[in-house]
Amino acid sequence: MSARIRVLLADDQKLVRAGFRSILEDEDDIEVVGEASTGVEAVRLARGLRPDIVLMDIRMPEQDGLAATGEIVADSGLEDVRVVILTTFDVDDYVYGALRAGASGFLVKDTEPMELLHGIRVCARGDALIAPTATRRLIAEFAGRARQPDPSPRLNALTDREREVMGLVGAGLTNDEIARRLVLSPATAKTHVSRIMTKLDVRDRAQLVILAYESGMITPGWMS
């Protein structure tokens, strides 16, 4: 990641893009490098600009945000690009599909500016999911009804401690929260998470959460 977080805005509404640009460009560590009004354009600009973050709307002409996200994630030349889905609560059914397509998280369109900025910075670090409380609630809901658990043989490569850490990641906990719960240093928690992602060959924490649910390692509400 470059010193400044480079952001590509993808939304078919010009006013929405202008609003996000206005907020982001007031920050010294964030730079808006391009705007796309369709999914096709978002993919093309992502390949040309290689931003750190793509803020991706779901409903766009020519190609929707889910398909565009899938293309970006599947492109080996864009492995460092993170897609954050922009959503509204009336289209929550798309959120789980977006995460399965490879999105690193999501932001609600009417989120407060400070939450937007925090979410982008967190996602650019790869440190945690966007909006942890809302994310864990939505992932739990949709992962729970998506399909029957399908145990993955890849999980056999994990140690007992790594399985424990993966379960806490699946519940939406940050590295610091995991460290406190397991009485570890934050650096040790971060190392565990990094090793788990390497062993399971997953792109980021969001994909680790999906795998935790789909494999049956954890179930919705298990920490309630």
Side-chain angles (χ1 to χ4, degrees):
M1 190 178 69
S2 59
R4 299 182 75 189
I5 301 171
R6 304 173 70 253
V7 178
L8 170 63
L9 303 175
D11 194 294
D12 63 339
Q13 297 183 48
K14 189 172 183 178
L15 282 176
V16 171
R17 298 197 308 271
F20 282 124
R21 177 182 281 275
S22 176
I23 293 170
L24 299 182
E25 291 196 331
D26 279 342
E27 302 301 307
D28 292 337
D29 63 332
I30 298 176
E31 175 186 8
V32 176
V33 296
E35 296 185 19
S37 59
T38 71
V40 171
E41 188 177 16
V43 174
R44 178 178 60 80
L45 289 178
R47 287 172 174 153
L49 299 171
R50 296 176 184 268
D52 299 306
I53 301 290
V54 180
L55 285 182
M56 182 82 74
D57 187 23
I58 291 178
R59 293 177 173 175
M60 290 187 291
E62 295 185 27
Q63 183 183 50
D64 65 28
L66 299 186
T69 296
E71 281 200 43
I72 290 171
V73 171
D75 191 323
S76 60
L78 301 177
E79 61 181 11
D80 293 328
V81 177
R82 296 291 177 261
V83 178
V84 177
I85 294 294
L86 296 170
T87 185
T88 54
F89 280 121
D90 64 330
V91 291
D92 278 345
D93 284 324
Y94 292 109
V95 171
Y96 180 65
L99 293 173
R100 288 200 66 202
S104 295
F106 72 94
L107 287 169
V108 179
K109 279 191 175 182
D110 61 357
T111 190
E112 293 295 323
M114 290 305 296
E115 292 180 6
L116 168 67
L117 296 170
H118 175 70
I120 289 174
R121 290 174 178 130
V122 165
C123 191
R125 291 198 306 264
D127 189 42
L129 289 172
I130 305 303
T133 301
T135 299
R136 72 183 64 151
R137 184 182 69 247
L138 286 168
I139 292 177
E141 178 181 350
F142 295 112
R145 71 188 191 190
R147 66 184 189 187
Q148 292 298 313
D150 181 18
S152 172
R154 289 186 292 170
L155 299 183
N156 295 333
L158 302 182
T159 65
D160 289 342
R161 173 60 91 184
E162 287 169 346
R163 284 173 174 268
E164 190 174 15
V165 170
M166 181 174 172
L168 296 176
V169 171
L173 272 64
T174 65
N175 288 344
D176 287 345
E177 290 170 336
I178 291 171
R180 287 194 294 271
R181 183 175 289 267
L182 299 182
V183 194
L184 304 171
S185 71
T188 298
K190 183 176 181 179
T191 297
H192 278 308
V193 174
S194 296
R195 286 177 178 169
I196 292 167
M197 290 193 292
T198 298
K199 285 185 176 182
L200 299 181
D201 190 27
V202 296
R203 180 180 174 89
D204 55 27
R205 293 175 76 104
Q207 304 312 301
L208 196 58
V209 171
I210 295 299
L211 180 59
Y213 278 103
E214 291 190 338
S215 66
M217 172 179 281
I218 60 175
T219 57
W222 76 288
M223 287 188 64
S224 300

